[in-house]
Amino acid sequence: MRVSTACQACRSRRRKCDTPQFGVACNYCSERGIQCTRDSSTISQTKLSTPHSSVLNGISPRIPPSQTAVQASTSLPPPSICLELVNLYFDFIHDQFHSLFHKPSFIEDVKQGNACPVLLLAMMALSARFSNNPFFSDISPRERGDCYAEEANRLLNLRDVSLTTAQACVLIGAFSITRGEAHAESVYYSVACRVANLLDLANRPTSNPIEREVNVRVWWSLCMIDVWSSMGVRLPRMMPVLESLPLPIDDVVFLALKQGQIFPWQLTADHGSSLLAQMIKLNRILLGINSLNERTVSGTTSGVVLENEVMALSNALDEWHNSLPPEMHDTPVNLERYASQGLGRMFVAVYLGYYHFGQLLFYQFLHGDCTGTVLSARFYADRCKTYAESLCEIIYAAKSIPDCDVRYTMVGHIMVIASTVQIHTLLFSDNTDQIAAARRRLERNFEILSQLRAYWPTLDICFTRLQAFHKACRSSMDEPFRMDQWMLRFLSEFAEPVDDRIADRSATEIWSLENIGCSPGT
């Protein structure tokens, strides 16, 4: 076999590698200011080979030209700060918003200086806002990740069809929505989905358990993202349904996997014990709920047909919960146990999905309990309130346990929806205990939303939406709860203001709980 004399960048793009003389950078690398593997003057200073641990994290051996070395980026903070921010990413983002990496392997890559720059920068763009390090003392938490996101965008090479590109697109898409850029988020997620399909990631041959499980988790993460992201921008989904694809393995077992393990490898853990697997099962139900709400708004389902479909989806939620082993139920003991394993926030994220999907399913009956034609409307309205109350309570419980508080962006949106359910109780309930409890939850929710707002610019939009809802309540007490196109947007397009009923006050104006009226004349 002829030994290749081309540099790594030219081999990756499958083009001729021209160099003016032996031992210096080729023309392609010189023009772009990137490290060339043929440049003997600096080759000893830069790690040019792809470490085995990086491959295990889904990093392609054919690294794009702009991602050849960490040193290629000038926007990286000191190594100790990089490590801190990556740990914060795994604390507050990963396994709650998406699951893309094997944490122990990636952390080791960071320590060894082998982490892929585009992934490292995109992670830090999301997590820098949570740092208490004096390094960021002069920068607002909201703005700390901007420079890292800009550099990650610069390094992202869409010509490189690899798992790294898919992972980077998910991370940068997640950052885009922090700025309220829903369309940009959708574009990045779409690229990630397309790359995963081009790679046939779900069936891609692998040589070791970590690589295989990372592929499975990235595929399923994209399937879940595809459901709510496509709903938010009203576009068709991109990920196919693969009934034969196994669910992720137990999360504790996955984290315990070691680099160097190879097949054959026997898995003894039950897939049903995986928290990520439970998120996936719930996401399938969300797909049906979204479809039902769309058809309700369009007028293609109503009356008995609507009631039957609601009951079927309600049963699906109940069956999901009833199928869980007792150690996965939402109890204080279980929450503390998962927290002790480092999985407390992931456990909370599972139940936030469950309770949120329940309030989405029954939300339209909050209006129906006054004037609806569905026979079970009042029962469904009570179910909506129960789900919303449980959603609030698990967030409160999580804040009281170390390493359990949830801070990812979607928390703000679902708390706004749950808060509007509390407003409904204030407006319509004649039970003084229910009214008092609803007001306490509103006060607590407002406090938590204000705290989250310090991290995420998109929470300004959540406050604007709550203001718009409040304004609608002042105009008509029951109209805001009617399931129409405005309400569908309110429930699903969490990064977009509801412009047709938006309040006149700006989102940045100081707005306190006292602004929420309990009657149209307030």
Side-chain angles (χ1 to χ4, degrees):
M1 179 182 294
R2 183 173 65 87
V3 178
S4 174
T5 58
C7 73
Q8 187 174 15
C10 291
R11 286 200 303 272
S12 296
R13 64 192 187 95
R14 298 184 180 181
R15 293 294 186 271
K16 184 178 179 181
C17 185
D18 295 318
T19 181
Q21 65 184 68
F22 180 78
V24 300
C26 72
N27 295 333
Y28 177 85
C29 293
S30 295
E31 292 171 358
R32 288 156 180 79
I34 59 178
Q35 178 63 53
C36 182
T37 59
R38 298 184 68 174
D39 186 353
S40 59
S41 64
T42 58
I43 193 169
S44 62
Q45 302 173 18
T46 307
K47 297 181 180 180
L48 299 174
S49 60
T50 303
H52 183 62
S53 59
S54 295
V55 176
L56 297 183
N57 278 296
I59 300 175
S60 169
R62 297 189 303 106
I63 302 179
S66 61
Q67 300 174 21
T68 53
V70 171
Q71 290 89 338
S73 173
T74 60
S75 296
L76 287 174
S80 61
I81 301 296
C82 290
L83 182 60
E84 176 193 329
L85 298 190
V86 169
N87 274 304
L88 287 173
Y89 162 79
F90 281 106
D91 284 344
F92 292 110
I93 306 295
H94 195 257
D95 284 338
Q96 299 161 67
F97 208 55
H98 49 242
S99 187
L100 306 174
F101 307 98
H102 181 242
K103 177 181 176 179
S105 298
F106 198 94
I107 294 293
E108 185 61 27
D109 282 347
V110 176
K111 292 179 179 178
Q112 298 299 323
N114 294 328
C116 180
V118 68
L119 297 178
L120 186 59
L121 286 159
M123 284 181 178
M124 296 192 302
L126 289 167
S127 64
R129 68 198 72 242
F130 300 121
S131 175
N132 294 320
N133 197 298
F135 183 83
F136 298 105
S137 60
D138 296 330
I139 309 174
S140 165
R142 288 176 161 212
E143 300 172 354
R144 290 175 188 167
D146 292 358
C147 62
Y148 303 136
E150 182 178 349
E151 183 70 358
N153 267 298
R154 185 184 70 82
L155 293 181
L156 181 64
N157 186 350
L158 296 183
R159 295 173 299 165
D160 180 59
V161 181
S162 68
L163 179 56
T164 299
T165 300
Q167 292 166 320
C169 283
V170 172
L171 294 171
I172 297 174
F175 179 84
S176 298
I177 204 61
T178 71
R179 313 297 304 183
E181 299 170 355
H183 289 175
E185 176 203 40
S186 178
V187 169
Y188 283 115
Y189 289 160
S190 297
V191 172
C193 291
R194 182 67 72 189
V195 168
N197 278 285
L198 287 170
L199 293 173
D200 191 18
L201 195 61
N203 303 304
R204 196 179 190 188
T206 58
S207 61
N208 59 78
I210 295 179
E211 187 178 358
R212 173 56 182 162
E213 183 64 13
V214 166
N215 287 352
V216 168
R217 285 172 175 253
V218 171
W219 180 273
W220 280 121
S221 290
L222 290 172
C223 289
M224 291 190 289
I225 288 170
D226 194 30
V227 169
W228 54 258
S229 177
S230 59
M231 179 66 179
V233 294
R234 299 291 188 272
L235 289 175
R237 290 180 295 114
M238 298 182 64
M239 297 298 289
V241 177
L242 300 180
E243 297 293 347
S244 60
L245 181 66
L247 293 172
I249 64 174
D250 179 86
D251 309 287
V252 174
V253 173
F254 175 55
L255 291 174
L257 291 178
K258 304 296 183 182
Q259 297 181 24
Q261 288 178 300
I262 60 174
F263 294 116
W265 176 70
Q266 299 298 320
L267 175 65
T268 59
D270 180 8
H271 288 258
S273 63
S274 166
L275 292 171
L276 183 60
Q278 298 305 330
M279 290 183 186
I280 294 164
K281 293 177 182 178
L282 282 169
N283 195 257
R284 295 168 177 169
I285 302 174
L286 173 62
L287 183 61
I289 294 172
N290 286 344
S291 176
L292 176 63
N293 284 341
E294 285 186 312
R295 286 182 284 112
T296 299
V297 169
S298 66
T300 57
T301 184
S302 60
V304 175
V305 174
L306 171 63
E307 186 157 9
N308 289 338
E309 293 192 41
V310 170
M311 184 58 69
L313 289 167
S314 177
N315 289 339
L317 286 172
D318 291 343
E319 289 169 5
W320 172 84
H321 186 267
N322 293 337
S323 69
L324 294 176
E327 60 269 20
M328 295 186 77
H329 288 171
D330 177 12
T331 66
V333 172
N334 287 340
L335 181 57
E336 291 189 6
R337 179 171 53 82
Y338 275 106
S340 69
Q341 298 173 335
L343 298 171
R345 293 188 176 100
M346 192 177 188
F347 179 80
V348 174
V350 170
Y351 275 95
L352 287 183
Y354 171 57
Y355 296 138
H356 178 53
F357 301 163
Q359 68 178 5
L360 285 182
L361 174 61
F362 296 115
Y363 197 95
Q364 62 178 295
F365 299 103
L366 288 175
H367 175 77
D369 72 347
C370 297
T371 59
T373 58
V374 174
L375 295 178
S376 303
R378 184 171 295 278
F379 170 74
Y380 292 152
D382 289 340
R383 290 293 304 273
C384 181
K385 294 172 184 177
T386 298
Y387 277 116
E389 291 166 6
S390 297
L391 188 152
C392 295
E393 293 302 324
I394 194 172
I395 291 177
Y396 307 157
K399 286 183 68 66
S400 67
I401 298 175
D403 301 323
C404 266
D405 60 315
V406 283
R407 303 184 192 178
Y408 59 99
T409 51
M410 189 68 76
V411 175
H413 170 65
I414 64 178
M415 287 197 76
V416 166
I417 303 301
S419 295
T420 64
V421 178
Q422 308 312 307
I423 291 175
H424 184 278
T425 299
L426 291 180
L427 293 173
F428 294 107
S429 177
D430 55 5
N431 185 303
T432 55
D433 291 338
Q434 290 179 355
I435 292 172
R439 175 161 288 278
R440 285 195 300 271
R441 293 190 189 98
L442 273 174
E443 292 172 348
R444 193 86 183 266
N445 291 358
F446 190 86
E447 176 186 351
I448 295 172
L449 286 168
S450 298
Q451 294 169 353
L452 291 173
R453 191 178 185 182
Y455 299 120
W456 305 108
T458 191
L459 263 291
D460 288 345
I461 296 176
C462 287
F463 269 81
T464 299
R465 293 163 67 83
L466 193 54
Q467 287 176 325
F469 196 92
H470 169 232
K471 180 181 179 182
C473 288
R474 288 166 61 92
S475 301
S476 172
M477 287 205 301
D478 60 353
E479 183 67 23
F481 301 96
R482 186 183 300 277
M483 180 57 75
D484 54 12
Q485 193 63 42
W486 180 84
M487 178 53 65
L488 188 63
R489 289 187 58 212
F490 185 86
L491 295 176
S492 61
E493 299 177 18
F494 74 94
E496 296 288 344
V498 281
D499 50 0
D500 53 349
R501 294 186 186 180
I502 198 165
D504 294 332
R505 292 164 294 191
S506 77
T508 57
E509 180 184 349
I510 297 176
W511 191 64
S512 63
L513 183 65
E514 284 70 27
N515 292 126
I516 299 177
C518 297
S519 67
T522 301

